[in-house]
């Protein structure tokens, strides 16, 4: 046990592991008298140039809050998050078992039935995560645990998203955010990521389980990413002929270079794996990932039954005192309690519409705050219809309508709909370039940057390169060559030139 206390309550005990983004410790929660796991992250080691530390902390807490709301037994429980000095910390439930990388090393060669069972369980987790929507961005064996009952648990949900600069996907040292060995081509190129990005990483993980190695290796990160972009993987049945043809076909489908050529969803992938899952038999011992399929809902080995949770209290009735509700929401927002503020603002909207009229300034103001809070809370699916409704409240081409459409396009981007987001940004660009409708000269440049990254995510690298080259010229003319914006565009262009 060390002397260091994190967040005024978590006493660090022993280090479990460390990597490029930080360290993981076992710790003791002094307030609730329990053992937990604490991940410490150093933003200065991974954030790109120009990243503001306070903004990174804000994004970190927001992402942790969003991911903590995902209810699935295949995700580690998030207890707390915050900052302590120069470090960000994430407190999770302590998990018994082994990480998948160690599990693979201890059971080589890995039975293909085990590999199918692991990936099928990961499909269930990703289906729940992508529905939010959240993209993991850094799925790999070190972020997957095998528990004593054979169930699979996913770690670090949302952490890679926080550390991503959302522009070049590069750290200050020029290395990509995430793990190059598991990185999808569109992620490596700095394009917009989506569910298909996680499915590609899942394909790399499956390949490693079946063959013992990742499909693309190299002495440098750049070399590895180049192979992801341009080389086909070696068929695993050449290495292990006993692997079913159907499983190899599923694997190659996951490793398609173009995200649109991969399975449409984690659900579709799961259905393809169902015929390969074990139907009967006995687990081979503890930490057998086929156990949940062979003996569903059976108790853990040597584990007493747990006390079932007590039913939760009924939800509070909706508020009808509009001024009081608005004031309460404002106080919650000042305290960073966005989820509660969302519930209050959304609950008061029907009463405000009945009292003042659906198109009244009061309702419009409430709806605007509601949509903005939903976006800040990462609830893009709920924010999108509110933003579209707000945009329709103003004449076409009105500056306020355009800003609501711009926010809606950002929601589409976050929801993993790059084609729809690209179409909306393209329709907005000529309107934003009209200075009468848009007084901010930097906004058209940001729209063009987003267009370029969406083109990258859709696999159109020549168009993305052309867009970025013209953007760099205009950005340097507006901001000067040393401004962070053209510097980021220049780094992305340099990165594109290297991996061509």
């Amino acid at each position: 046990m060390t002397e260091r206390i994190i967040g005024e309550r978590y006493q660090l005990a022993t280090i479990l592991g460390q990597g490029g983004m930080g360290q993981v410790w076992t710790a003791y929660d002094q307030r609730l008298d329990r053992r937990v796991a604490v991940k410490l992250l150093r933003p200065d080691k991974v954030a790109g140039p120009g990243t503001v530390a306070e903004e990174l902390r804000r994004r970190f807490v927001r992402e942790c809050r969003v991911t903590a709301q995902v209810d699935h037994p295949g995700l580690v429980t998030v207890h707390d998050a915050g900052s302590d000095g120069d470090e960000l910390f994430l407190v999770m439930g302590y998990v018994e078992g082994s990480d998948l990388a160690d599990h693979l090393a201890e059971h080589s060669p890995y039975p293909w039935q085990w590999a199918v069972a692991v990936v099928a369980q990961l499909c269930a987790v990703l289906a729940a995560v992508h529905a939010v929507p959240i993209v993991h961005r850094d799925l790999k064996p070190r972020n997957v645990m095998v528990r004593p009952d054979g169930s699979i648990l996913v770690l670090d949900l949302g952490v890679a998203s926080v550390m991503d600069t959302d522009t070049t996907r590069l750290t200050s040292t020029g290395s990509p955010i995430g793990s190059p060995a598991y990185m999808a081509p569109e992620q490596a190129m700095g394009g917009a990521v989506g569910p298909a990005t996680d499915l590609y990483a899942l394909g790399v993980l499956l390949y490693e389980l079946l063959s013992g190695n990742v499909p693309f290796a190299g002495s440098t990160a750049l070399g590895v990413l180049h192979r992801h972009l341009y080389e086909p993987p070696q068929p695993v049945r050449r290495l292990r002929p006993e692997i079913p043809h159907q499983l190899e076909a599923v694997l190659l489908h996951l490793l398609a270079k173009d995200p649109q050529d991969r399975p449409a969803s984690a659900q579709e992938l799961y259905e393809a794996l169902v015929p390969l899952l074990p139907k009967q038999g006995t687990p081979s011992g503890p930490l057998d990932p086929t156990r949940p399929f062979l003996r569903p809902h059976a108790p853990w080995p040597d584990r007493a039954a747990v006390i079932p949770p007590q039913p939760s209290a009924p939800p509070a009735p909706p508020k009808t005192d509009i001024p009081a509700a608005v004031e309460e929401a404002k106080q919650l927002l000042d305290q960073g309690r966005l989820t509660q503020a969302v519930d209050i603002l959304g609950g008061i909207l029907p009463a405000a519409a009945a009292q003042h009229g659906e198109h009244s300034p009061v309702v419009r103001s409430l709806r605007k705050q509601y949509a903005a809070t939903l976006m800040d809370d990462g609830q893009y699916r709920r924010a999108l219809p509110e933003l579209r409704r707000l945009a329709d409240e103003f004449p076409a081409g009105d500056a306020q309508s355009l800003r609501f459409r711009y926010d809606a396009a950002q929601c589409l981007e976050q929801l993993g709909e790059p084609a729809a987001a690209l179409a909306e940004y393209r329709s907005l660009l000529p309107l934003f370039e009209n200075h009468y409708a848009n007084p901010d000269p930097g906004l058209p440049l940001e729209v063009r940057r987003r267009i370029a990254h969406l083109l990258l995510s859709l696999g159109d690298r020549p168009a993305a390169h052309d867009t970025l080259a013209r953007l760099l010229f205009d950005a340097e003319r507006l901001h000067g060559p040393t401004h962070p914006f053209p510097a980021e565009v220049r780094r992305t262009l340099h990165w594109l030139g290297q991996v061509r």
Side-chain angles (χ1 to χ4, degrees), residues 129-349:
V129 167
H130 293 164
V132 173
I134 298 171
V135 180
H136 190 287
R137 299 172 187 250
D138 196 23
L139 193 63
K140 58 186 178 183
R142 289 293 180 196
N143 284 338
V144 177
M145 295 288 293
V146 185
R147 307 175 79 189
D149 68 341
S151 61
I152 299 299
L153 203 64
V154 175
L155 312 176
D156 276 3
L157 181 62
V159 171
S161 174
V162 174
M163 299 318 230
D164 196 325
T165 63
D166 197 35
T167 51
T168 60
R169 308 310 203 259
L170 302 179
T171 67
S172 55
T173 61
S175 300
I177 293 289
S179 305
Y182 304 88
M183 193 172 286
E186 67 274 12
Q187 187 177 8
M189 296 294 289
V193 299
T197 308
D198 283 342
L199 294 182
Y200 184 92
L202 190 54
V204 177
L205 183 149
L206 175 58
Y207 190 101
E208 185 175 8
L209 293 178
L210 295 174
S211 69
N213 295 291
V214 293
F216 306 112
S219 58
T220 65
L222 189 61
V224 173
L225 296 175
H226 187 277
R227 298 187 67 191
H228 276 291
L229 287 164
Y230 299 110
E231 294 185 17
Q234 181 183 8
V236 291
R237 295 192 75 255
R238 291 183 187 174
L239 304 172
R240 296 181 62 186
E242 75 275 15
I243 292 173
H245 288 278
Q246 184 179 353
L247 182 54
E248 185 176 66
V250 169
L251 175 59
L252 294 176
H253 194 191
L254 285 169
L255 292 177
K257 306 297 185 186
D258 189 332
Q260 298 182 78
D261 292 336
R262 297 173 205 150
S265 65
Q267 175 70 36
E268 180 181 296
L269 174 60
Y270 180 85
E271 298 300 333
L273 293 173
V274 166
L276 299 167
L277 288 170
K279 302 296 190 299
Q280 57 184 357
T282 303
S284 58
L287 276 70
D288 179 348
T290 64
R291 192 174 191 275
F293 302 98
L294 297 173
R295 300 192 66 201
H297 306 299
W300 286 25
D302 304 318
R303 176 60 61 93
V306 298
I307 300 173
Q310 298 300 311
S312 58
K319 299 179 182 295
T320 56
D321 186 338
I322 298 172
V326 171
E327 180 60 30
E328 183 179 359
K330 182 179 181 299
Q331 293 176 6
L332 290 168
L333 289 171
D334 290 341
Q335 298 167 20
R337 295 159 66 181
L338 273 68
T339 302
Q340 289 174 276
V342 160
D343 290 343
I344 289 175
L345 291 168
I348 203 66
L349 269 170

Side-chain angles (χ1 to χ4, degrees), residues 412-471:
L412 289 168
E413 192 175 346
Q414 294 291 334
L415 287 167
E417 299 183 30
L422 179 61
E424 185 66 5
Y425 284 133
R426 279 175 162 166
S427 69
L428 285 169
L429 183 57
L431 300 172
F432 279 143
E433 289 176 333
N434 177 358
H435 69 277
Y436 294 107
N438 169 47
D440 180 3
L443 188 55
L445 300 183
E446 174 60 20
V447 173
R448 289 163 63 186
R449 185 191 71 83
R450 290 183 177 274
I451 287 172
H453 286 285
L454 286 166
L455 287 167
L456 280 173
S457 71
L458 292 168
D460 193 346
R461 295 173 204 159
H465 188 279
D466 181 61
T467 301
L468 288 167
R470 288 184 283 108
L471 174 61

Side-chain angles (χ1 to χ4, degrees), residues 355-418:
Q355 183 173 334
H356 298 281
E358 181 65 44
H359 304 289
S360 66
V362 171
V363 171
R364 186 181 298 164
S365 177
L366 276 174
R367 197 175 301 283
K368 182 178 178 180
Q369 182 64 69
Y370 180 49
T373 308
L374 284 169
M375 287 191 71
D376 285 342
D377 202 30
Q379 299 190 49
Y380 302 106
R381 199 176 303 280
R382 293 175 64 187
L384 182 58
E386 300 297 332
L387 292 165
R388 285 174 168 164
R389 183 181 299 182
L390 283 164
D392 291 340
E393 290 276 326
F394 299 90
D398 181 88
Q400 294 190 70
S401 176
L402 296 181
R403 289 303 304 220
F404 290 131
R405 287 179 57 191
Y406 175 69
D407 288 343
Q410 291 185 70
C411 288
L412 289 168
E413 192 175 346
Q414 294 291 334
L415 287 167
E417 299 183 30

